[in-house]
Amino acid sequence: MEVWKKITVGALAGGVIIGGVVFIPKLIKLKNASPELDVIPTAKIHKLDFTGVTIRIDVQLKNPTTADFKMKYPYIRLSYKGSVIGTSQSVDKDIEMAGFGEANITQIMMHIPITSVLSMAGALLKAVQNNTEVKVDITTITHIDPYWKVVEEDQDGEKVKTWKRLVNLGKKTLIPYNKQQSVTLRKQK
């Protein structure tokens, strides 16, 4: 009986040591390489006619860390003086962001009907007609999935980069990202 007790205690201690050696470095690496996202939006008046105003929004996404991650296609909300005047479409698509990588999303078009412009943002219409710059707020909403890694593999003698899913070690799978920024709305040249 005494021997089995020693074997059990030894097996448990060995399991704890092996688990610590294997998983603690992974947890430290995940903590040190947590994903960050820099978003740089721009907004331009694409078209102004009797039906309303069409605003073009371009978004540059930057990953300033070594962490590889995937994120959902961002949802964009445009507001003027606290009132929402337009939103982008919801798109079910993943964007891959390698460490120190960038992605550009261009030509997100938002058409604001003339009735909305007149009722909600008459000052916006006047500023657009007078060709003066206008400050609008762009809110970028997305979810970041940090459990991805870019891996180089040999396929038929060529090195190919592929995305590999990492083991979830108890952290949230999707990290919400919600950032509001003011930009100057200008006429497109």
Side-chain angles (χ1 to χ4, degrees), residues 8-154:
T8 305
V9 169
L12 284 172
V16 167
I17 291 171
I18 290 171
V21 168
V22 171
F23 288 110
I24 289 176
K26 287 184 180 182
L27 286 171
I28 290 170
K29 185 178 177 186
L30 257 180
K31 184 178 180 193
N32 291 341
S34 63
E36 278 187 44
L37 185 63
D38 285 341
V39 177
I40 303 165
T42 58
K44 297 176 183 165
I45 297 170
H46 182 72
K47 188 168 94 175
L48 174 63
D49 60 17
F50 65 92
T51 64
V53 178
T54 303
I55 297 174
R56 172 187 167 159
I57 297 176
D58 298 327
V59 180
Q60 184 179 29
L61 307 166
K62 294 183 178 187
N63 177 6
T65 67
T66 58
D68 301 326
F69 60 87
K70 287 188 178 184
M71 60 181 279
K72 288 294 181 190
Y73 195 90
Y75 174 79
I76 307 295
R77 184 182 303 137
L78 182 68
S79 53
Y80 178 69
K81 293 187 177 180
S83 297
V84 175
I85 57 173
T87 59
S88 67
Q89 293 181 343
S90 293
V91 178
D92 187 17
K93 180 180 173 185
D94 287 334
I95 297 174
E96 299 169 340
M97 295 291 288
F100 301 111
E102 290 185 15
N104 290 307
I105 301 171
T106 58
Q107 297 186 11
I108 300 170
M109 300 294 188
M110 291 188 194
H111 182 76
I112 304 158
I114 197 71
T115 54
S116 296
V117 172
L118 292 173
S119 65
M120 291 177 56
L124 173 66
L125 183 61
K126 279 185 183 176
V128 168
Q129 288 173 336
N130 294 332
N131 203 20
T132 58
E133 294 180 344
V134 179
K135 289 277 187 189
V136 293
D137 293 323
I138 295 178
T139 305
T140 307
I141 302 166
T142 187
H143 286 85
I144 297 172
D145 185 353
Y147 294 103
W148 290 93
K149 181 179 178 182
V150 177
V151 180
E152 279 193 15
E153 295 178 346
D154 267 341

